[in-house]
Amino acid sequence: QVQLVESGGGLVQAGGSLRLSCAASGSIFSTDAMSWYRQAPGKQREFVAYITRDGRSNYADSVKGRFIISRDNVQNTVYLQMNSLQPEDTAVYYCAAAPVALRTDYWGQGTQVTVSA
């Protein structure tokens, strides 16, 4: 079992930045790949980025060049640095974990990010 706790969401103006954190506890193997997803009101949950324990990462086209995913393997924490935020980035952001990339076995509770125009 894995527990994921996100933090760092909030309200920011367009063009601003936020840094999300996701602290994982439980099975280390099950957190080899950690991801961020987001869900805007009335829309399906969508992939944002993932990072593996050895540092491989991938991003959705919509955030490439603006968001940076990183992780601290000692603290078993993953971060999402979000820069140049736009109103369309407004969503609940979820952390996910799994043994392999692009799988989502465990989810956090989500953290709200709101970007005002």
Side-chain angles (χ1 to χ4, degrees):
Q1 284 288 349
V2 173
Q3 293 78 44
L4 303 171
V5 179
E6 301 105 329
S7 60
L11 173 64
V12 65
Q13 288 188 329
S17 298
L18 279 176
R19 188 195 196 205
L20 306 182
S21 299
C22 173
S25 59
S27 167
I28 295 299
F29 169 73
S30 295
T31 59
D32 278 356
M34 296 186 73
S35 309
W36 288 98
Y37 284 72
R38 67 185 182 185
Q39 188 167 18
K43 295 189 176 181
Q44 288 189 329
R45 193 170 298 189
E46 64 176 4
F47 168 75
V48 175
Y50 76 73
I51 187 166
T52 61
R53 189 171 296 278
D54 60 1
R56 288 178 292 115
S57 61
N58 195 18
Y59 297 88
D61 287 343
S62 59
V63 306
K64 210 170 283 187
R66 300 187 299 123
F67 291 10
I68 301 171
I69 191 169
S70 61
R71 66 185 291 165
D72 181 334
N73 289 332
V74 174
Q75 299 293 329
N76 219 20
T77 299
V78 64
Y79 305 97
L80 187 67
Q81 177 67 43
M82 306 185 294
N83 302 317
S84 302
L85 284 161
Q86 299 302 316
E88 52 266 34
D89 295 314
T90 294
V92 177
Y93 283 70
Y94 297 90
C95 176
V100 296
L102 297 177
R103 225 170 80 180
T104 52
D105 293 1
Y106 301 95
W107 292 95
Q109 82 286 356
T111 185
Q112 176 70 48
V113 171
T114 303
V115 185
S116 62

